[in-house]
Amino acid sequence: MNEKKIKLKTGEIWQERLVAGNGHSGVICSCDPYEEVLTYQNIELLMPTEEPRMTPPEVGSELQEARQAVLHMDATWNVHGRKRTYLYAYHPGMQLRITTPQQELEAYSRRMVGETGEVIMDYRDKTGDFSRHTFVSREDCVVTQYLAGGKETLPELILSIDPPEMLPKFGVKKWGTGPEVNMKYELVYDKAGTYLGQAAHYPVFVESELQDKGYVTMVRILHTGGSRNVEQTEGSKEIHIRGAKAVWILAKTAAQVEMGEMEDFPGVKAQETIDAVLADLKSAVAKYRTKEGSWNYERALALQKEQQRETYGTVSFHLGEQTADSGEEGVEKETNTELLQRQKNTPQMLQKLMERIYQTGRYVQAACAGYSAPRLCGLWTGEWNPGWSGAYTMDANVNIQVSGMNTGHMEKAAWGYMYFILRQIGDWKENAKAVYGMWDALLAPVNTDGNRAIMVEYDIDYPFQYWNAGASWLMVPIFEYWQCFGNRQIPLPEDLAKVCGKQSLDLEQEILRPLLWKTFHFWEQLCTPEYYTDREGQPHYKKGKTALEEGEKYLIIPSYSPENHPNGYSSTITANAAMDIAAASDVLRMIRELEERICDERSGEWLTASRELAAKLPEYQMDETGGLKEWSLPQMHDNHEHRHISHLYCAWPGVETQHNVGLAESCRQAIRNRNVGNAGKDDTASHGWIHKGLVAARLKDGRSLGEILRLLVQSDIFYSSLLTDHNTDRCRGVYCTDTILGLQGIIYEALVYSERGEIEFLPALPEEWKQGSVDGLMARTRICIRKLAWNLEKKILEAELESYEDQEVRISCPVLQYDACYYLKQGELRRIRI
């Protein structure tokens, strides 16, 4: 994660900058020695609009119309001409600018350090050697930057605040003017230059929960030696620091805080919020202040390091022999840019680049962990109105981003994901009631802004109201955490503890079990005997029918397979989407495994109910090529021109293909069909390739996985920081963490497949990965793989396993023709050599 360059680019786009975060707050650092820009972040920052925040009441009454239209293959029915509305957009916080006299650079480097969570910039010019260290404290939720020289004093520093309109895309939305043009803000300074900041009041929309709210960023300044004063410039003020030996800049951003009525702003409410944020900064300063009056950066960082070990430090990954990344002593490391360019001219994957991409992804996963799930943009935006509103997109993106957090042994990321789900459940229940008239059931929307997860984003082109598979898919990571770690008491953040009236929840009884059964209730109520398929698979409707006859199956109608429609049928409102069949089956699988483990007085009845529903679900169908059909109806034919591969849910995140050879081959053929049909259409989208990579790994197809990885690393999807764009050719210019986070899941799936009582080593190894090691992975059978090292040329594999419970486990490595059973005792470290 190193980037060296002596000649800095001018006008560099914000996406090329480096980032830090603690899951809730973050910062984007330009790392320019002479004009540093710090863009502060808080994952709760949302710009309100006048869009409605309730599900339209007419959606429920349209259900029967939708079903009949699909049954009769009537593509003209158009949801009564509804125009889609949207949730709120994520936005940046305050932007601080630090300028110093321009010099000619003699040396320069910047990097993101996983072990500490820091962004570090070092540089040298004729005035001396200087460094800047920035991190976001998990302990205090404060962004800290430490500026220091060697023996020299720092050059003059000028601190100023950029007005919001200076950031890109201010007031510019895809349709119309951004609402942020109607917010009010003020800049805050004290006379002594001890602090500066920005307070903003959101525009007022009567139906918005944010109508009297806004955000505040405050910055506290400390230094040793020299002087500090405030100087007036045109329309603003600057803080000048001269002759300092070291400077500490501490910042905190508070989101969705009370600002009172707009006509009173700035007023008492705004000042109370400013004072509260300053009090938090004062507390952080006091905690690490030395007797001499300076601030102890090292002591604050020591606590950060300890917490980073619990996230970033739990897993390590290497390819080839474990040698120093720098090569020979004294030889400069290749920069990310140089590595990416060399990769474009090299047909094989570069191991050094792959390792560095992995380390960056691990860093980003840790930076997004602990409070919520990653947004489409992770935790960071340097612009207003980011692509797709910087939302949490749950029909592939969030799912891909968290694919490696459990097997990657990052518990705080899993906790944050659970918090993300728990905050939405009330809206999911309302969605199921509004759209389908259901009780105690869950219907997840495709998008949430983090405040609301109501069903508002739908129209005839994107009938998200009939995306049935969402809740099932979003349960998988919670279930997977349980598979990896067993039952735990999950600590709650302040907001959820207040709602729940307790500080923690039991994973099995208070989180996973209730969520799975509410999801089961959805499928149970969606499937009605009135809509069914006969023995030949033909769909029917019989009003008043109360039970299925022998050979009949439920017809899942309406259905939606994001974001595709059958060939020759223009409507995306369909029936029997393979994704729905797989998602319903997957919930029943999770319920069976959980209830068999809990085995209390309720388990028997619930297991019976789940088996009865499973027997009546539709069966998958195959096309003339043998590929799995996206819709299991004879009259609906596959359309391979779209990037989504939602119909392969049974392979990933589901596990049906693991013990069904025929289904696995049908999925492989479906991917081949999609690759041909989608070529040159919309095959640049990152999540399409990452989704295919996860499916290829789960299908034990190392050759296909290698092709996908080579395509990605040779594309333009990576910025110089190794964070990623939404598209392989950057055609949309959308900062997106799908690829950098999704690659974590791909790597882990390629190295280890696991389920209850089973571990398979190296199931989908790309041909370039003949030698390597990974330490700390979790298997989905409550086993930590403390060590895994392999050398295929020498036909050697070594593993060390620690089980969290007594169990019998089948261990296999097909590439080395190994298959054996072991009995592992809890806490025992078992060494295996193949």
Side-chain angles (χ1 to χ4, degrees), residues 98-343:
I98 307 169
T99 57
T100 63
Q102 184 78 35
Q103 304 290 342
E104 184 175 339
L105 275 176
E106 297 174 3
Y108 173 85
S109 71
R110 66 173 192 169
R111 59 195 182 277
M112 299 184 299
V113 183
E115 292 77 11
T116 60
E118 289 176 289
V119 171
I120 299 178
M121 187 233 328
D122 299 305
Y123 71 97
R124 183 176 67 248
D125 59 28
K126 67 179 182 180
T127 65
D129 291 282
F130 305 97
S131 65
R132 295 180 189 174
H133 294 234
T134 309
F135 77 96
V136 188
S137 165
R138 290 189 179 274
E139 183 72 11
D140 307 296
C141 213
V142 168
V143 181
T144 300
Q145 184 171 83
Y146 171 49
L147 302 86
K151 298 178 181 179
E152 302 83 8
T153 59
L154 291 168
E156 179 183 6
L157 301 173
I158 303 173
L159 279 63
S160 61
I161 299 171
D162 291 341
E165 54 266 28
M166 274 189 65
L167 275 68
K169 293 173 66 176
F170 181 85
V172 179
K173 294 194 75 167
K174 191 172 182 180
W175 295 281
T177 303
E180 60 274 9
V181 299
N182 295 314
M183 73 175 183
K184 287 184 178 180
Y185 68 90
E186 71 161 359
L187 304 183
V188 183
Y189 294 80
D190 73 331
K191 293 180 181 179
T194 305
Y195 62 81
L196 72 163
Q198 183 185 86
H201 193 302
Y202 286 139
V204 176
F205 301 106
V206 176
E207 298 299 323
S208 170
E209 69 272 24
L210 301 180
Q211 65 169 322
D212 291 324
K213 295 186 177 181
Y215 67 94
V216 167
T217 301
M218 296 303 299
V219 171
R220 182 79 158 81
I221 303 160
L222 300 94
H223 60 92
T224 56
S227 63
R228 178 183 70 242
N229 67 292
V230 179
E231 298 185 9
Q232 182 72 42
T233 62
E234 290 185 14
S236 187
K237 294 179 181 178
E238 300 171 341
I239 294 177
H240 290 244
I241 304 172
R242 299 180 178 92
K245 184 67 178 176
V247 175
W248 298 267
I249 299 172
L250 283 70
K252 188 178 182 72
T253 299
Q256 301 185 28
V257 288
E258 296 295 335
M259 287 292 174
E261 295 185 5
M262 179 69 91
E263 54 267 29
D264 296 332
F265 180 82
V268 174
K269 285 288 185 183
Q271 190 59 52
E272 288 176 352
T273 299
I274 291 168
D275 291 343
V277 176
L278 284 173
D280 289 343
L281 288 174
K282 184 178 179 181
S283 176
V285 168
K287 188 181 298 184
Y288 305 108
R289 197 160 199 166
T290 66
K291 293 179 180 179
E292 295 76 24
S294 63
W295 201 74
N296 195 325
Y297 181 86
E298 290 73 21
R299 197 168 76 193
L301 189 64
L303 183 57
Q304 179 78 357
K305 286 181 182 178
E306 183 62 35
Q307 294 176 335
Q308 280 293 105
R309 276 194 286 270
E310 298 173 3
T311 51
Y312 180 88
T314 49
V315 173
S316 63
F317 168 65
H318 300 280
L319 290 171
E321 295 185 32
Q322 291 190 33
T323 57
D325 185 51
S326 58
E328 298 178 14
E329 187 176 351
V331 177
E332 288 188 349
K333 296 179 182 179
E334 281 183 286
T335 67
N336 293 341
T337 303
E338 290 165 347
L339 263 177
L340 288 167
Q341 186 56 49
R342 182 155 70 90
Q343 178 66 86

Side-chain angles (χ1 to χ4, degrees), residues 51 83 101 131 241 277 342 377 479 557 567 627 645 693 751 789-790:
E51 299 272 37
K83 293 184 179 180
S131 65
I241 304 172
V277 176
R342 182 155 70 90
C377 49
F479 179 76
I557 185 171
N567 192 24
I645 54 170
L751 300 180
W790 70 94

